[in-house]
Amino acid sequence: RYAFGCVILTPDGQEIRKSGSGSDSAGVAIRNVAGEMLGSMTAVNWAIENKYPAVEIRYDYEGVEKWVTGVWRAKTPLTSKYAAHMQEAGKKVLVLERRSHIGGNCYDEPDEHGILIHNYGPHIFHTGIEEVYQYLSRFTDWYVFGHEVVAKVGDRLIPVPFNLNTLHMVYEKEKADALEQKLIAAYGEGSRVPIMKLRENEDPDIREIAQFVYENVFLKYTMKQWGQKPEDISPEVTGRVPVLVSYDNRYFQDKYQGVPKEGFTPMFERMLDHENITVETGVDCKERLRFEENQIYFDGTPFDGEVIYTGALDELFDCQFGRLPYRSLRFDFEHYEKESYQGHSVVNYTVSEDFTRITEFKYLTGQKNTDGTTIVKEYPFAYTGAEGEIPYYAILEPKNQELYEKYRALAGGLPHFYLLGRLAEYKYYNIDAMTKKAMELADAIMAENTKR
Ligand code: UDP
């Protein structure tokens, strides 16, 4: 066993004594420290229950503070549980969600045939960022797979991103071998070359490959997706799908990739399942929040806590400088009473059709024993702000960025007001980058709080 005793001194002169003990083996193994951690948690819990806004802890072992502030990394299950408890203690979070469900565009649910679908288009998690993977893994196991995409070009399905396998499919052997050597000599084995860079190469043979890829993979798809040619959109966008000088058919090269084993929605449910977190769906935050002369009002009273806004920034300010442009999508779901529709999770239509791609969900989620199969076709269009339309993609152009900055300036003076996400930041984030940004913001808020 290990035990603690603590004396709590209140500002009005009361002296409260508490003591307790534990007998779990992890605690017993470090019993002098375990007692101090238990005593500190008891004092903090008591202060919260009795509505004291702050508590000053006098302790002996420096880990009692340093694990919580993050100066020391809490490495064992016991110390990290302690750190999490102390960091989360007393912090209350209210999530206001305009839609009728949580999870944003990652939301997934079984359709009427029992097939798990991604209601807002295919979402595949992929990351090389260890802490993002570890963090999300607290809330889910994974269905792990190397995501592969093929493009329908004429009667053929060719691997995308265009890679050395694709090269050997579209050119006869001798030519393909020669081109492979040229690509390796120019860029190095395993390199990732954005199509717009490849097109600048001075070697006519490499430019021929670039032209093939441009015409058969990028031009029509990009025209559908953005209403613009590849050369007229931000290179960041086409750069997401570079030409790969390797035989790797995967769409992403990140170490971790897959989807949450039971779906994204259960992962978010577990994330939000905390006694200090309240979720209200079907609530527009503008019904509850008001901004006046750099003061935030919540339900009519001044609010000094942190507000993290993840919606479209122009809408928050009634689009007073005009709407921020976005691309939207219409999703057409179709169900077929057959085992398989296309045999692939995603087929891109890069030279024909009005839709950009077809996703067949069972190949994306790993769902077994389904009754039939469900697919979705994506039809892009320009977002107008009309009722029911959803802004999916910011359009990364200097003039749009300038307009965004005008809105950001309006938000700039609000204390403890943070913008986070694709919409609020007007950025093209992947799930992992977004998770990292959210983790960094949470850390920054925690650090700011310990100072406040
Ligand atoms: N793209 C393309 N053809 C393809 C795949 C991608 O032209 O077969 C271009 C297109 O402009 C697209 C961009 O590359 O918008 C980024 O593709 P990604 O698959 O990353 O788009 P997302 O899945 O985010 O819609």
Side-chain angles (χ1 to χ4, degrees):
R1 267 156 63 92
Y2 55 93
F4 73 89
C6 73
V7 180
I8 302 169
L9 307 174
T10 68
D12 60 2
Q14 290 179 66
E15 206 177 286
I16 287 121
R17 284 163 191 272
K18 296 263 170 200
S19 61
S21 65
S23 57
D24 53 287
S25 57
V28 170
I30 48 163
R31 61 183 186 282
N32 51 341
V33 182
E36 270 195 75
M37 294 195 294
L38 201 56
S40 304
M41 290 192 282
T42 305
V44 164
N45 293 348
W46 183 90
I48 292 166
E49 270 163 36
N50 291 280
K51 311 227 173 319
Y52 287 99
V55 56
E56 190 180 310
I57 296 176
R58 299 290 166 85
Y59 57 83
D60 169 55
Y61 182 65
E62 53 188 331
V64 166
E65 176 173 338
K66 288 185 172 163
W67 283 319
V68 178
T69 53
V71 175
W72 285 4
R73 241 185 78 198
K75 286 190 208 123
T76 69
L78 191 69
T79 53
S80 59
K81 208 166 144 197
Y82 164 72
H85 179 91
M86 294 295 262
Q87 285 164 356
E88 289 162 13
K91 297 240 177 313
K92 288 215 159 65
V93 178
L94 172 65
V95 179
L96 299 178
E97 168 58 62
R98 187 160 70 172
R99 289 179 181 164
S100 60
H101 61 74
I102 59 163
N105 290 342
C106 285
Y107 181 71
D108 52 14
E109 65 178 356
D111 68 2
E112 56 184 355
H113 308 280
I115 292 173
L116 184 63
I117 57 164
H118 294 185
N119 303 53
Y120 304 94
H123 284 75
I124 298 123
F125 175 71
H126 57 99
T127 195
I129 311 170
E130 193 65 35
E131 65 262 34
V132 165
Y133 176 73
Q134 296 301 344
Y135 173 72
L136 292 178
S137 299
R138 280 171 55 188
F139 307 101
T140 189
D141 291 331
W142 301 94
Y143 168 59
V144 176
F145 64 95
H147 180 55
E148 293 188 13
V149 174
V150 287
K152 186 143 176 76
V153 177
D155 312 331
R156 283 199 298 189
L157 294 173
I158 61 171
V160 172
F162 188 96
N163 62 41
L164 296 179
N165 287 317
T166 329
L167 184 79
H168 284 271
M169 274 177 87
V170 301
Y171 294 103
E172 45 83 21
K173 179 157 178 16
E174 209 170 307
K175 185 160 182 185
D177 284 343
L179 289 172
E180 172 175 343
Q181 289 316 315
K182 281 206 167 177
L183 281 171
I184 291 172
Y187 299 102
E189 218 164 338
S191 55
R192 307 160 57 81
V193 191
I195 179 61
M196 301 317 283
K197 277 263 163 299
L198 198 70
R199 291 187 92 205
E200 288 166 8
N201 196 297
E202 291 186 349
D203 184 324
D205 289 339
I206 292 186
R207 273 218 309 281
E208 186 192 324
I209 307 173
Q211 193 57 19
F212 178 90
V213 177
Y214 176 84
E215 278 170 12
N216 290 287
V217 180
F218 283 94
L219 181 59
K220 185 87 198 288
Y221 188 106
T222 301
M223 283 304 297
K224 288 189 269 190
Q225 178 72 6
W226 300 98
Q228 284 172 287
K229 289 186 170 173
E231 54 268 42
D232 297 330
I233 66 172
S234 164
E236 178 188 330
V237 175
T238 45
R240 289 168 60 90
V241 188
V243 169
L244 296 185
V245 187
S246 77
Y247 284 94
D248 187 349
N249 274 350
R250 294 173 308 164
Y251 203 64
F252 311 113
Q253 274 63 49
D254 296 316
K255 177 171 174 194
Y256 301 107
Q257 41 189 301
V259 287
K261 206 167 204 163
E262 292 137 27
F264 283 97
T265 306
M267 177 179 84
F268 289 123
E269 275 166 358
R270 285 191 281 268
M271 202 180 272
L272 293 166
D273 180 19
H274 191 287
E275 58 188 7
N276 295 358
I277 301 176
T278 307
V279 179
E280 292 183 24
T281 52
V283 180
D284 190 327
C285 74
K286 283 168 84 178
E287 294 161 18
R288 309 288 291 275
L289 288 168
R290 186 162 53 84
F291 309 106
E292 233 168 67
E293 289 162 8
N294 288 339
Q295 172 67 54
I296 301 176
Y297 293 83
F298 178 64
D299 286 347
T301 40
F303 180 74
D304 295 319
E306 291 83 13
V307 175
I308 301 172
Y309 179 71
T310 62
L313 194 54
D314 54 348
E315 280 183 22
L316 190 66
F317 297 107
D318 303 318
C319 301
Q320 57 183 272
F321 304 128
R323 276 201 177 273
L324 279 167
Y326 290 95
R327 293 296 285 178
S328 187
L329 297 166
R330 190 185 88 222
F331 292 106
D332 281 4
F333 291 85
E334 293 169 10
H335 181 79
Y336 293 87
E337 288 304 328
K338 56 182 179 184
E339 190 51 32
S340 171
Y341 177 84
Q342 61 187 18
H344 295 267
S345 56
V346 178
V347 177
N348 284 1
Y349 284 77
T350 53
V351 288
S352 63
E353 312 302 336
D354 293 334
F355 46 83
T356 48
R357 58 187 171 195
I358 298 183
T359 299
E360 185 167 4
F361 288 105
K362 61 196 280 184
Y363 294 105
L364 201 68
T365 60
Q367 193 177 4
K368 295 273 177 299
N369 305 321
T370 54
D371 211 359
T373 189
T374 301
I375 63 155
V376 68
K377 294 177 177 163
E378 296 177 45
Y379 293 89
F381 66 94
Y383 176 73
T384 67
E387 185 79 21
E389 283 184 6
I390 296 173
Y392 285 106
Y393 298 91
I395 302 173
L396 309 177
E397 276 177 29
K399 72 172 183 349
N400 300 346
Q401 198 57 41
E402 266 166 43
L403 179 57
Y404 173 78
E405 290 303 332
K406 280 170 83 174
Y407 284 112
R408 203 161 72 113
L410 290 183
L414 294 166
H416 314 302
F417 184 77
Y418 303 94
L419 301 171
L420 184 71
R422 268 195 181 202
L423 291 175
E425 296 180 64
Y426 203 66
K427 287 211 168 115
Y428 193 164
Y429 277 122
N430 288 340
I431 301 171
D432 68 329
M434 198 59 260
T435 309
K436 178 151 197 278
K437 197 79 202 286
M439 289 169 74
E440 283 168 358
L441 178 58
D443 283 347
I445 288 174
M446 292 287 198
E448 187 63 28
N449 259 268
T450 42
K451 277 192 254 150
R452 270 222 255 169

